[in-house]
Amino acid sequence: MKKVVLIPGDGIGTEITTSVTTILEKAGAEIEWVEQTAGLTAYKEKGNPLPDEVIEALEEHRVALKGPLTTPVGTGFRSVNVALRQKFNLYSNIRPARTLPSIDSPFKNVDMVIFRENTQGLYIGKEHWVEEDDTKKHAESIAVVTQEASKKIITAAFEYARENGRKKVTLVHKANILKLTTGLFLEVGRQVAEDYSDIEFEDLIVDNMAMQMVMRPQRFDVVVTTNLFGDILSDLASGLVGGLGVTGAANIGDDAAMFEAVHGSAPDIAGQNKANPLALLFSALMMLEHIGQKQVAEDIRKAIYKTLVERKVYCTPDIGGEGTTSTFTQAVCDNI
Ligand code: NAI
């Protein structure tokens, strides 16, 4: 039995994690869950959105499955998601976007995997006031890009491409304007690419990338980029294949990994049995592959596809179904 930390999360978190653990159990995953509370729920219960027990459990077990956590906008505590990624140096945020059967989308045959640098860029949250006077407020934010971190994420993208029979890596930047920070990222990318002559390499400026992803998404295979661009482009990629409810994500470092849904805590539908567990389920499949339970992941993937094709009536409304979180969960379990 592999011990995995389970953080159900806020909003729809409990509903979707219950669905996912039910499906994994039915498929015979050999996992013992170590449940922990973080985010708004922990803040309300313990006055701390990231209690020490969560950190200790992750330090001990090194793998976590995490539901969405609410982050107050503008004020309040800083994002627990960002804190966990930084604490465990989970530098690779990996988000596949694949066209799924029966999911309505004008974009066909999409199959790309976005590698987003997860610990640097503007996301380090180093902001300060230059001027706080009410009439002339002026704020600044600092972006950090290092050679070392860039090399790690770009190498991870190339390694993934090689291991998974992918043909091309596209590096996305804004080096024409942000010449030092994203210029460095591009420079490192060109150096790393020299070690992977079997994989095609191209670079694109982020605004062009956004347009190309909509015009011709099929041309992208593996994509690697800095933190903020990756945040935006990976949501765009999710939108191409059916939205945030159907795309999973992994945060992987050298000695720890956290798997999570890409969507937020969806407070507007929390507690209504409407939440789509698919995104967290796809993240859980990435987790199963990571801990060496590939066959279980494959069995569940087949059951999901079968459910989507044959039994859409059981799926949640966000993907055009007439069902609920519970009916979807039961249908996947029946198909395993
Ligand atoms: P959101 O992703 O929670 O919701 C956006 C829209 O998508 C809503 O209409 C929601 O109902 C729908 N939606 C999201 N997940 C769904 C699912 N599984 N099934 C069906 N519909 C779904 O984004 P929003 O409203 O901007 O953020 C809410 C909270 O979540 C905020 O506090 C934010 O900070 C947090 N958040 C957390 C993330 C994480 O833990 N990784 C990621 C993004 C946001």
Side-chain angles (χ1 to χ4, degrees):
M1 282 285 171
K2 168 77 186 156
K3 285 193 175 175
V4 173
V5 178
L6 178 69
I7 303 171
D10 302 314
I12 58 171
T14 304
E15 293 161 78
I16 59 175
T17 45
T18 302
S19 162
V20 168
T21 52
T22 304
I23 292 168
L24 264 60
E25 191 183 338
K26 170 79 187 182
E30 297 195 345
I31 291 175
E32 186 183 330
W33 300 106
V34 179
E35 195 167 324
Q36 293 290 337
T37 309
L40 194 60
T41 314
Y43 185 71
K44 282 181 185 160
E45 283 172 11
K46 302 173 183 172
N48 181 359
L50 185 54
D52 290 345
E53 308 87 270
V54 180
I55 303 279
E56 283 158 18
L58 269 163
E59 274 170 348
E60 189 178 346
H61 305 299
R62 299 277 154 189
V63 181
L65 181 67
K66 187 185 76 57
L69 302 176
T70 299
T71 308
V73 174
T75 54
F77 59 82
R78 277 196 62 213
S79 164
V80 171
N81 301 315
V82 175
L84 284 172
R85 288 169 197 163
Q86 287 175 348
K87 167 86 189 160
F88 290 94
N89 194 21
L90 306 175
Y91 56 84
S92 291
N93 181 258
I94 307 169
R95 287 177 50 170
R98 275 187 205 109
T99 298
L100 290 166
S102 291
I103 302 285
D104 292 332
S105 168
F107 305 95
K108 309 292 175 209
N109 304 317
V110 176
D111 184 7
M112 68 177 87
V113 183
I114 298 190
F115 278 68
R116 160 188 172 193
E117 202 292 321
N118 221 3
T119 59
Q120 304 200 323
L122 277 172
Y123 261 74
I124 55 167
K126 281 203 176 151
E127 296 188 299
H128 59 261
W129 290 111
V130 177
E131 181 57 74
E132 287 192 74
D133 189 300
D134 259 353
T135 56
K136 45 183 176 180
K137 278 188 171 174
H138 174 174
E140 280 181 354
S141 186
I142 295 168
V144 169
V145 174
T146 68
Q147 198 169 18
E148 188 190 358
S150 303
K151 188 169 179 190
K152 279 190 159 201
I153 182 74
I154 296 164
T155 304
F158 272 100
E159 281 295 318
Y160 177 92
R162 192 174 264 175
E163 277 166 26
N164 291 278
R166 300 270 179 167
K167 304 272 180 290
K168 183 168 75 173
V169 171
T170 304
L171 182 146
V172 182
H173 61 89
K174 187 75 187 175
N176 52 331
I177 304 296
L178 304 169
K179 291 179 193 287
L180 295 190
T181 49
T182 80
L184 173 59
F185 195 75
L186 174 59
E187 182 188 316
V188 174
R190 287 182 174 145
Q191 285 163 1
V192 173
E194 285 176 15
D195 294 334
Y196 295 86
S197 54
D198 49 324
I199 314 256
E200 189 189 336
F201 175 68
E202 67 172 354
D203 71 270
L204 282 184
I205 292 175
V206 63
D207 35 339
N208 182 20
M209 177 72 183
M211 182 192 67
Q212 299 275 346
M213 278 176 70
V214 176
M215 302 287 286
R216 285 197 300 145
Q218 302 79 9
R219 63 169 289 221
F220 297 110
D221 198 347
V222 174
V223 175
V224 62
T225 189
T226 48
N227 207 339
L228 181 60
F229 297 159
D231 186 22
I232 298 165
L233 294 177
S234 55
D235 265 27
L236 198 165
S238 295
L240 300 175
V241 297
L244 295 179
V246 298
T247 34
N251 297 281
I252 299 183
D254 287 334
D255 54 10
M258 185 171 73
F259 299 82
E260 63 181 343
V262 293
H263 55 73
S265 53
D268 53 333
I269 56 164
Q272 298 172 30
N273 201 15
K274 280 184 190 164
N276 188 353
L278 248 188
L280 190 67
L281 188 53
F282 278 129
S283 309
L285 300 194
M286 294 169 87
M287 181 197 75
L288 286 168
E289 285 162 4
H290 181 78
I291 61 174
Q293 301 188 24
K294 288 190 177 166
Q295 191 53 52
V296 184
E298 201 41 46
D299 292 347
I300 298 173
R301 196 181 305 278
K302 282 188 192 140
I304 294 170
Y305 278 47
K306 202 166 169 207
T307 306
L308 291 176
V309 173
E310 290 176 0
R311 312 175 106 181
K312 208 170 172 195
V313 63
Y314 293 126
C315 296
T316 49
D318 59 302
I319 52 171
E322 292 153 22
T324 61
T325 315
S326 316
T327 58
F328 175 79
T329 309
Q330 191 57 49
V332 175
C333 285
D334 291 345
N335 277 329
I336 287 171

